[in-house]
Amino acid sequence: MAQKYRIYINDNALFIADRIPKQLEKIQHIDTQNFDFQTFYKNLPKEGKKNYVLVDKDPKMLFKMLKKQCTVIKAAGGLVANSKGEILFIFRNKKWDLPKGKVEKDEKVKVTAVREVEEECGVKIEKRRKLVCKTYHIYEMNGKVILKRTNWYNMEVKGSPKLVPQKEEGITSASWVNESGIKNKVKNTYPLIIEVLKEGGLV
């Protein structure tokens, strides 16, 4: 099975695949021959909402080359359900998001996922289940271009516990959201979060 990667840069998405993704009609084809990620990134309109694709018979190799031009940070988070089937959302930086955080030194990614959810929302995770998906997004910090890889896991809590948002992490609210509420939340979230919800069969 061929590898394909979707990397979010603000509201833009860069695909690296062995063929053009079917679901996207409007997508700009980029020549892989002289592709330099840093140049591409610098020239990318910050306010854009475009899809770009690099087509290559070896997407994995191309992705590795891109990674070498970035500082890679690993993170993990959760798609957390309570006993009513409601999903845990947090509100941070004026957008709805899912709890996640950076992997600490010598920490297992699965352990990070649970720890971060518990810290950010004040809940106890009863069960951590399978990996939902991995997401990639790029941003700038202290003049460096960061590629963040996040592993997302399905998780469950007992009952419907009270949530305590971690204010010092900039989380102003945390809430349990039912199916119809999710449709409302996706109007004000990140494309990356919509991908996680899709992979989890929630939108």
Side-chain angles (χ1 to χ4, degrees):
M1 170 136 169
Q3 292 278 63
K4 70 171 194 278
Y5 305 89
R6 183 195 312 228
I7 303 152
Y8 293 98
I9 310 161
N10 299 319
D11 285 338
N12 299 292
L14 171 64
F15 291 81
I16 301 176
D18 61 351
R19 61 179 74 92
I20 292 177
K22 274 196 192 106
Q23 75 274 27
L24 294 167
E25 290 145 34
K26 288 185 178 175
I27 193 158
Q28 191 174 324
H29 210 122
I30 306 168
D31 182 23
T32 53
Q33 200 65 45
N34 305 306
F35 180 72
D36 175 73
F37 177 71
Q38 291 283 355
T39 308
F40 168 77
Y41 177 76
K42 283 191 184 93
N43 294 328
L44 200 60
K46 293 283 179 272
E47 300 302 311
K49 284 191 176 186
K50 290 183 83 173
N51 294 303
Y52 301 87
V53 66
L54 286 161
V55 177
D56 192 272
K57 61 181 188 297
D58 190 354
K60 197 173 183 177
M61 186 198 70
L62 210 53
F63 182 64
K64 274 184 180 168
M65 280 164 60
L66 183 149
K67 263 170 55 173
K68 279 181 186 159
Q69 295 192 44
C70 303
T71 302
V72 179
I73 288 178
K74 290 177 185 173
L79 201 50
V80 187
N82 65 17
S83 59
K84 298 176 190 169
E86 294 167 329
I87 300 298
L88 174 52
F89 275 80
I90 60 171
F91 196 71
R92 173 164 45 194
N93 298 331
K94 298 179 182 169
K95 286 199 186 262
W96 287 102
D97 205 343
L98 296 171
K100 67 174 182 309
K102 288 176 199 161
V103 177
E104 289 181 356
K105 194 173 181 288
D106 301 326
E107 187 178 37
K108 285 193 163 68
V109 177
K110 290 174 180 177
V111 173
T112 302
V114 172
R115 175 182 59 75
E116 283 291 340
V117 170
E118 292 185 340
E119 285 175 4
E120 291 194 342
C121 304
V123 289
K124 181 87 187 92
I125 296 299
E126 186 65 20
K127 285 183 181 130
R128 189 205 70 244
R129 298 200 180 274
K130 64 178 176 44
L131 180 75
V132 179
C133 63
K134 290 177 188 177
T135 58
Y136 300 94
H137 84 279
I138 281 173
Y139 58 97
E140 236 171 295
M141 193 168 67
N142 305 329
K144 285 181 180 172
V145 178
I146 311 288
L147 171 67
K148 185 185 269 187
R149 187 200 83 188
T150 308
N151 285 25
W152 298 93
Y153 296 90
N154 275 320
M155 298 182 196
E156 289 168 19
V157 296
K158 266 187 180 167
S160 179
K162 182 177 179 290
L163 300 167
V164 184
Q166 194 180 16
K167 295 276 198 303
E168 60 271 32
E169 283 294 325
I171 303 165
T172 52
S173 170
S175 57
W176 294 112
V177 181
N178 63 19
E179 204 175 320
S180 63
I182 290 172
K183 290 189 181 81
N184 210 19
K185 297 282 182 270
V186 297
K187 291 173 190 167
N188 183 27
T189 188
Y190 303 97
L192 180 151
I193 297 298
I194 295 170
E195 183 190 340
V196 178
L197 295 168
K198 275 182 182 164
E199 292 290 340
L202 293 163
V203 292

